[in-house]
Amino acid sequence: MPPRAASRLTAAAVLAATLAAATACAAGPEAGAVPPAAPAAASSDAASPAVTPGGPTSAPPAAVPATLSFTGKTLDGTAFSAADLAGRPVLLWFWAPWCATCASQAWTVAEIAPTYRDTVPIVGVAGLGEQKAMKDFVTEFDLAGTTQIDDRNGALWRRFKVTEQSTFVVLDRTGRVVHQGFLDGEALTRQVETLARG
């Protein structure tokens, strides 16, 4: 065989061996392994929030119902958007700082709210009083871990047609009002436990 032909044959063999090796590397160490560039396994763990009972999953964000289409400021001045609660049952607690009934319910709210924070959020809506009195109420009853909206102007009270304190507005996962009115400590606890299971 002429030297030139042998040289071409050797080059072809080297190229074939290189391609075979490259193909074997791309297949990965295990049969059926997903190539590194494939998006399937790369982003699922990072993009999916932790799944909690009744909490958010990797499903698309829930549609925001009209009942949760509002914003406000908390008593500590933080911006609040009710849309962030869409897809979960929610309790809105309308209270006033001088209300004895509200004070008796505050102990129950302070006790159960941390347990159900991610599954059934309880959001206080403070009205009918001065901001200092509202902040003092939150401090006295250890409610700092529960969102408390400053509604001194009464916008949310009017929106939900609340005419007296203490009133609970209970929304299911779709944002539908399933209860509006008074709840004592036992009824409040049962309501939250039922919503958390559902």
Side-chain angles (χ1 to χ4, degrees), residues 78-98:
T78 305
F80 173 83
S81 174
D84 295 339
L85 305 174
R88 289 179 281 171
V90 177
L91 271 74
L92 301 175
W93 174 39
F94 292 82
W95 60 268
W98 43 264

Side-chain angles (χ1 to χ4, degrees), residues 13-187:
V14 170
L15 180 60
T18 303
L19 286 174
T23 304
C25 289
E30 299 173 19
V34 178
S43 61
S44 61
D45 288 341
S48 301
V51 178
T52 56
T57 65
S58 59
V64 178
T67 48
L68 292 177
S69 296
F70 66 86
T71 58
K73 291 265 188 185
T74 64
L75 283 172
D76 63 8
T78 305
F80 173 83
S81 174
D84 295 339
L85 305 174
R88 289 179 281 171
V90 177
L91 271 74
L92 301 175
W93 174 39
F94 292 82
W95 60 268
W98 43 264
C99 164
T101 302
C102 304
S104 68
Q105 291 167 322
W107 295 116
T108 304
V109 171
E111 181 182 331
I112 66 174
T115 303
Y116 296 98
R117 183 183 329 277
D118 297 326
T119 52
V120 186
I122 299 175
V123 177
V125 184
L128 306 178
E130 297 298 318
Q131 188 180 49
K132 182 183 181 321
M134 293 172 179
K135 287 182 174 183
D136 290 345
F137 182 94
V138 168
T139 301
E140 180 180 351
F141 295 103
D142 199 22
L143 293 166
T146 306
T147 301
Q148 303 293 333
I149 299 172
D150 183 345
D151 193 41
R152 283 173 290 163
N153 65 7
L156 292 178
W157 287 59
R158 288 189 297 276
R159 178 187 178 98
F160 285 93
K161 298 180 171 61
V162 174
T163 57
E164 63 184 356
Q165 74 297 324
S166 169
T167 295
F168 284 92
V169 176
V170 182
L171 308 174
D172 68 11
R173 293 179 194 286
T174 66
R176 185 173 59 96
V177 176
V178 294
H179 173 84
Q180 181 159 342
F182 174 79
L183 289 172
D184 64 20
E186 287 182 19

